[in-house]
Amino acid sequence: MCETYDTEPLALKIKLIRKYLKIKILEDNVQFQDHEIERNHVHDLIKRVISHGESHSALIIGPRGCGKTTLINTVLEQLESELDLESDCLIVKLNGLLHQDDKIALKSITAQMQLENAVGDRVFGTFAENLSFLLSCLQSGADRSCKSMIFILEEFDLFCHSGRTQTLLYNLFDITHNKQAPMCVLGVTNRLDVMEMLEKRVKSRFSHRHIFLFPNDNIKPVDNYKVRLIQLLSVPLSLTRKCGGTTKKKRGGRRKSVAVTEEEMDVELNDDTIQYAVPAKVFTRCKVDPKQFQEFDENSLVYWNSHILSLVENKDIANALEKLCYFTVNEQIFRNILFQVVSRLNETSPHIDVAGFVTTIDNTVGQEHRVKVLQSLSILELSLVIAMKQGMDIFDGQPMNFEMVLHRYKKFVDKNSSTQTVPRPVILKAFEHLQELEVIMPVRSTDSIYNTGDTTTSGVQKEYKLYTLAVPEYDLKEAVKTSKSLPTEITFWFNNEIF
């Protein structure tokens, strides 16, 4: 039992434990769990590009927090031990949030290839000419072979944004299609309909290789959370100067009572393994000296790990984790919860408080989260939500498009001279932001009586795509009621008038 250990060493070392766990929770993005087939597929693609000079492209698709980026990081770290990545290939990472503009993307590619001096003041006519010049700078040897390149495109769907030409995607996929250079282009996205967003010329160059990542069906979500809790909050005994095998004997009986499989638990609780220790690479990236953690003594870590095991067995925490499963299976959200819990540790309170843990989960899954999202909206965005809500009330809950919402908003503005007139493009941008926040959601033909086709396809103009309100009325009412900066006439409009 936990009580058999002295708690004083733990209080003295709690700062180091807290620091180590924070790094483990937030920065350790190179240890991927499960999905062996998908991981081997990505590993095979990249290795063939580097070792055999092949060219490939693929899309990694899955919900947020399922581990798409972590999978790629894990594969790259594995390849570092098998190949000389630093000299054999170049890794270029782009993000759709930052590099939607072709000029910005090209500048980032040049910088990551370390070819700024080669480009100098040269002026290129097209994006393709500029990219071809960069590739020529990487050619060497008598056969003028080019160095292998790995392009990782995060938020891939944002590179397909309507209204922008997909020049970057076309040129990258064209290189892989025509095998102009050994290159692997990996797109990472959570949009299942991403192929519908690609231009026809881009589709013709893409390999149509899709790698799907979905939550593991072989283990219940709540059991998976329990395993991850132990993995992320346990401190490996290998950090101590004298790492023996005695602790495994002490904890053997406790391990049987945890509601996860014996095989999964053995991975974490085996004292001879450092699989879930923070890799040295992560310490280097964080500029943290790992030698400071050698000050851990075995008694402190044995006590701490026993304390973590007791948390998993606690019924209140088990119920809270089950509640979290109904809300989300996003591991990043779970890590954020663990980070908040670990941050409260100090010398006077060196244990994780069960009540505090449960409260943190309740605050995450509670309706307060949706209310906070609504409160964070601008006055214009909240006005559009109110206009949409009242329009759906009039039309018996039928979805509305942008033009219908705009019409209701303008009627309100015309009746209130104090309300500032906003240009149409700004209103459209605010409407699109509501969709990004999932305050409003697009609907398909089966959800509406107004159309016979799929309103989410690229064939319909965005102003006429149908949307429905994705937040409950009581959350919207609470957000309007508690908002401090909302003008009085908008509050009155929400509470009293439908016109």
Side-chain angles (χ1 to χ4, degrees):
M1 298 293 291
C2 296
E3 288 77 6
T4 59
Y5 299 101
D6 184 14
T7 61
E8 185 177 354
L10 180 62
L12 296 175
K13 302 297 182 183
I14 195 63
K15 283 188 176 181
L16 277 179
I17 291 178
R18 183 179 61 199
K19 184 175 183 180
Y20 183 85
L21 293 179
K22 282 184 175 181
I23 295 174
K24 191 175 186 180
I25 293 170
L26 286 188
E27 301 295 339
D28 183 9
N29 60 350
V30 295
Q31 298 190 30
F32 185 74
Q33 310 296 321
D34 304 322
H35 298 289
E36 290 293 332
I37 297 176
E38 292 81 0
R39 178 167 53 182
N40 292 336
H41 193 171
V42 176
H43 176 273
D44 184 53
L45 285 179
I46 298 179
K47 189 171 184 179
R48 279 155 54 189
V49 169
I50 299 173
S51 302
H52 306 295
E54 299 179 6
S55 295
H56 297 286
S57 58
L59 282 178
I60 302 177
I61 303 173
R64 293 194 183 277
C66 69
K68 301 183 291 296
T69 302
T70 304
L71 180 145
I72 295 175
N73 292 336
T74 303
V75 169
L76 292 177
E77 176 149 359
Q78 182 180 348
L79 288 172
E80 280 185 357
S81 61
E82 301 173 3
L83 306 168
D84 187 4
L85 280 187
E86 189 171 347
S87 59
D88 290 344
C89 77
L90 287 171
I91 300 175
V92 178
K93 297 182 178 181
L94 301 176
N95 193 304
L97 292 170
L98 303 174
H99 304 111
Q100 287 186 8
D101 186 81
D102 291 339
K103 292 182 180 179
I104 297 176
L106 200 55
K107 188 175 181 179
S108 179
I109 293 172
T110 305
Q112 295 184 59
M113 288 182 173
Q114 299 180 352
L115 294 176
E116 297 99 321
N117 294 333
V119 174
D121 297 327
R122 294 174 182 267
V123 178
F124 300 93
T126 63
F127 184 95
E129 291 178 6
N130 200 331
L131 192 59
S132 297
F133 175 77
L134 295 179
L135 295 179
S136 65
C137 293
L138 299 175
Q139 294 175 347
S140 61
D143 57 350
R144 300 296 293 165
S145 61
C146 184
K147 201 171 186 178
S148 299
M149 290 167 289
I150 312 297
F151 277 81
I152 301 172
L153 307 182
E154 296 279 358
E155 304 292 346
F156 180 85
D157 51 286
L158 296 182
F159 288 102
C160 314
H161 194 279
S162 59
R164 294 179 180 272
T165 57
Q166 299 173 11
T167 307
L168 171 66
L169 299 181
Y170 173 76
N171 282 277
L172 291 180
F173 287 151
D174 187 57
I175 292 172
T176 61
H177 179 75
N178 295 321
K179 298 178 173 55
Q180 300 175 22
M183 179 186 293
C184 180
V185 180
L186 296 175
V188 180
T189 180
N190 66 327
R191 293 284 297 267
L192 291 173
D193 62 343
V194 66
M195 290 301 297
E196 299 177 7
M197 305 170 68
L198 294 177
E199 296 175 358
K200 187 176 180 180
R201 59 171 185 160
V202 178
K203 287 184 183 179
S204 66
R205 298 299 191 273
F206 178 50
S207 66
H208 293 267
R209 183 184 286 111
H210 301 99
I211 301 173
F212 292 95
L213 288 184
F214 294 108
N216 191 356
D217 294 331
N218 297 326
I219 180 173
K220 294 180 180 179
V222 65
D223 291 341
N224 183 56
Y225 273 149
K226 289 178 180 179
V227 173
R228 295 303 288 153
L229 187 148
I230 295 175
Q231 293 170 353
L232 291 171
L233 295 187
S234 295
V235 182
L237 297 184
S238 57
L239 291 177
T240 61
R241 294 192 180 99
K242 48 175 184 178
C243 181
T246 58
T247 311
K248 185 177 181 180
K249 184 176 180 181
K250 292 178 184 178
R251 293 185 295 175
R254 178 174 297 275
R255 193 169 64 225
K256 295 179 182 178
S257 62
V258 182
V260 289
T261 64
E262 194 74 21
E263 179 182 357
E264 290 161 345
M265 295 297 293
D266 282 339
V267 175
E268 171 59 26
L269 301 181
N270 185 356
D271 298 333
D272 299 325
T273 183
I274 59 170
Q275 181 174 356
Y276 294 109
V278 177
K281 179 180 179 181
V282 175
F283 286 125
T284 303
R285 187 176 70 240
C286 298
K287 298 180 181 179
V288 174
D289 183 9
K291 293 182 180 179
Q292 62 182 293
F293 299 113
Q294 291 180 356
E295 299 178 14
F296 284 131
D297 63 90
E298 189 172 358
N299 287 338
S300 298
L301 298 190
V302 167
Y303 179 85
W304 174 261
N305 290 340
S306 299
H307 170 57
I308 297 303
L309 285 174
S310 69
L311 291 177
V312 177
E313 297 175 2
N314 187 281
K315 291 183 179 180
D316 292 336
I317 288 185
N319 292 335
L321 291 176
E322 190 167 356
K323 184 192 299 183
L324 181 62
C325 292
Y326 287 108
F327 175 73
T328 181
V329 292
N330 187 327
E331 184 171 318
Q332 189 57 57
I333 293 178
F334 183 58
R335 285 175 178 253
N336 292 340
I337 292 173
L338 295 183
F339 183 83
Q340 295 178 54
V341 171
V342 169
S343 298
R344 299 192 190 105
L345 296 173
N346 53 58
E347 290 86 348
T348 58
S349 179
H351 303 91
I352 293 177
D353 179 52
V354 173
F357 198 122
V358 173
T359 301
T360 303
I361 293 179
D362 288 340
N363 291 338
T364 302
V365 304
Q367 67 172 16
E368 292 81 4
H369 172 73
R370 297 192 297 266
V371 173
K372 288 178 180 178
V373 171
L374 292 172
Q375 289 175 337
S376 68
L377 300 177
S378 66
I379 294 177
L380 172 61
E381 291 167 345
L382 193 55
S383 298
L384 294 178
V385 173
I386 295 173
M388 188 169 188
K389 182 259 179 188
Q390 294 196 350
M392 291 179 66
D393 287 345
I394 294 173
F395 297 111
D396 298 325
Q398 285 298 318
M400 301 178 67
N401 58 34
F402 170 74
E403 293 294 342
M404 298 165 71
V405 176
L406 179 62
H407 174 71
R408 296 206 58 79
Y409 173 73
K410 283 188 173 180
K411 284 183 67 176
F412 165 72
V413 172
D414 292 341
K415 288 192 174 184
N416 294 270
S417 58
S418 60
T419 305
Q420 185 178 3
T421 304
V422 182
R424 177 190 170 91
V426 178
I427 300 176
L428 179 58
K429 190 69 176 178
F431 191 79
E432 291 175 345
H433 187 233
L434 292 176
Q435 183 187 0
E436 293 173 4
L437 294 175
E438 297 184 351
V439 174
I440 60 175
M441 298 291 288
V443 299
R444 298 196 176 259
S445 56
T446 54
D447 300 321
S448 173
I449 62 174
Y450 292 143
N451 65 304
T452 57
D454 186 352
T455 65
T456 60
T457 58
S458 56
V460 180
Q461 294 182 13
K462 56 185 177 181
E463 293 89 344
Y464 297 101
K465 291 182 181 179
L466 294 175
Y467 295 87
T468 186
L469 205 56
V471 292
E473 182 178 349
Y474 55 82
D475 282 346
L476 181 57
K477 186 177 296 185
E478 182 67 21
V480 172
K481 180 180 177 181
T482 57
S483 180
K484 298 179 180 179
S485 59
L486 199 63
T488 307
E489 57 266 23
I490 294 181
T491 305
F492 182 77
W493 176 37
F494 173 77
N495 292 324
N496 299 289
E497 292 190 42
I498 294 182
F499 48 80

